[in-house]
Amino acid sequence: MKSNIKILDCTLRDGGYYTNWDFDESTVDSYIEAMNNLPIDYIEIGYRSIKLEGYLGEYFYLPIQTIKKIRNKSSKKTVIILNEKDIRVEHLEGVLGQCIGLIDLVRIAVDPKNIKRAIVLAKGLKKMNFEVGFNIMYMSTWFDEKDFFRSLPEVNNVADFFYMVDSFGGVYPNDVIKTYQRIKKDLTIQIGFHGHNNLELALINTLTAINCGVDIVDATITGMGRGAGNLKTELLLTHLSSTENIKINFNSLSSVVDVFSVLQEKYKWGTNLPYMVSGANSLPQKQVMEWVSNRFYSFNSIIRALNNRSQGVIDNERVEVFKINKNCDKILIIGGGASVENSFKFIESFLIKNSDTLIIHSSSRNASLFSKLKNDQIFCLLGNEGYRMEKVFENNLPIESKCILPPYPRLMGTYIPIKMKDRSYELDKIVFKSID
């Protein structure tokens, strides 16, 4: 084991995928205090970026006041990362001009297909006197990128660090060894490793990388990071304390783990079956993270969609397009919350008096309550709802009702109960309209 390995903790940057890069001040203060007391060499505090669409928080744009506040409190080298896909040389002065003297290392997140563009960007960063790191993503697919390997010698002239990034959480120790040996032929700069934990291999892959001779590795407190998350900083430090006799302030480590464990209870990062399947098949985590976090689809639906994607299969069946036979002036949409059951006697009374009101079930969870009403009813079948509908109604499915599916093609596929096949329709398209 290499005893002088450097450690970069990127909790605030990678963990921001769960919080939209917003962290309250007390959490950040606890984090900085702990890092000061632990054998961590670098802390990566977030992104710097041009303005992008949608909401992204403080630690994505990192106002200069925030960077200064961290620098005043931290004793560690400070790192930010740029998304190469969003940043060009002409953006550097605006994005990083004020950061000179405040940021030590700028890492560039790079799709291996775009390494030529990243080299140009790195030259601009070097002119600004930053240390530069390349975070080359999608490690499990590198060996298909021949142009990427031909460009490696150029990286030596513009970067200080070259990171192997297991973006999909899909590499194994032998892959780490093979990749390290291949890139070491062309690289003279320091090499790093950043692992994801889809297959719970982040620790062994990191230790394998260290044994291969890498100079620096990444980790995050409680493994907080995109998708299944990263190698846990506390796990790596505990291991190094045991095997390398590195002194660890376990009081500080325990204290910051407690802080982020509260966030973990809320956001639920960590591996699960869909992340395992995506990692094993080198599939992007972004959409899996959305599916899992929203909890709208069953794991079975997610895994089916992932398997089909890996095999290039479209998991859909076509049904007749839904057509409105009569206009409804009154529509009541029923969701899956507890308030439906709690208020049902009032809802029932209203519907009995207004039997021409159409009931639309956005979830089947409360649907059995309405089974004796004479109102026309429609069931929205998305993701797991077909299974839920069967469970709610057992063997007494409302075959006089209709089921409506999203438009074709449906990425997740949609399960239709057998007894409802002849009563199921798909939308032609989805249109949102404002109501005056």
Side-chain angles (χ1 to χ4, degrees), residues 277-419:
V277 172
S278 67
N281 292 282
S282 293
L283 298 171
Q285 298 199 85
K286 181 178 184 293
Q287 193 150 48
V288 184
M289 185 175 172
E290 292 173 358
W291 291 338
V292 170
S293 298
N294 290 336
R295 301 177 195 176
F296 197 79
Y297 299 105
S298 69
F299 277 10
N300 186 61
S301 296
I302 295 172
I303 291 163
R304 183 176 63 234
L306 291 171
N307 280 329
N308 289 335
R309 180 177 291 185
S310 69
Q311 298 166 21
V313 174
I314 297 176
D315 181 13
N316 284 134
E317 59 178 297
R318 303 225 56 166
V319 292
E320 186 179 340
V321 172
F322 177 66
K323 296 178 181 177
I324 300 175
N325 296 322
K326 62 178 180 179
N327 291 324
C328 298
D329 294 325
K330 290 185 254 183
I331 297 173
L332 182 64
I333 300 175
I334 302 297
S339 61
V340 175
E341 185 173 3
N342 294 339
S343 305
F344 180 68
K345 63 180 181 179
F346 303 108
I347 299 172
E348 182 183 40
S349 176
F350 168 81
L351 290 172
I352 290 172
K353 294 176 182 177
N354 296 272
S355 59
D356 58 338
T357 298
L358 172 66
I359 303 171
I360 298 179
H361 296 278
S362 63
S363 167
S364 300
R365 192 183 302 274
N366 293 307
S368 62
L369 296 171
F370 299 80
S371 60
K372 295 180 181 180
L373 291 168
K374 296 180 180 180
N375 305 68
D376 289 336
Q377 300 189 43
I378 288 176
F379 294 83
C380 298
L381 290 194
L382 179 65
N384 199 37
E385 282 303 315
Y387 293 105
R388 177 179 287 160
M389 190 177 182
E390 286 183 326
K391 184 177 180 180
V392 166
F393 286 101
E394 297 179 342
N395 294 321
N396 299 307
L397 284 163
I399 56 175
E400 70 285 353
S401 301
K402 292 185 176 74
C403 292
I404 305 298
L405 284 66
Y408 180 93
R410 291 173 289 280
L411 180 64
M412 300 298 298
T414 302
Y415 173 73
I416 304 173
I418 293 174
K419 291 183 178 180

Side-chain angles (χ1 to χ4, degrees), residues 2 22 24 31-32 39 47 78 93 102 112 114 123 170 196 201 207 256-257 272 344 351-352 408 414 420 433:
K2 188 174 180 178
D22 274 330
D24 65 58
Y31 171 77
I32 297 298
Y47 285 89
T78 308
E93 182 57 37
L102 296 173
N114 297 327
K123 289 178 181 177
H196 278 256
L201 295 173
L207 297 183
V256 73
V257 166
N272 55 37
F344 180 68
L351 290 172
I352 290 172
Y408 180 93
T414 302
M420 301 302 294
K433 293 185 178 180

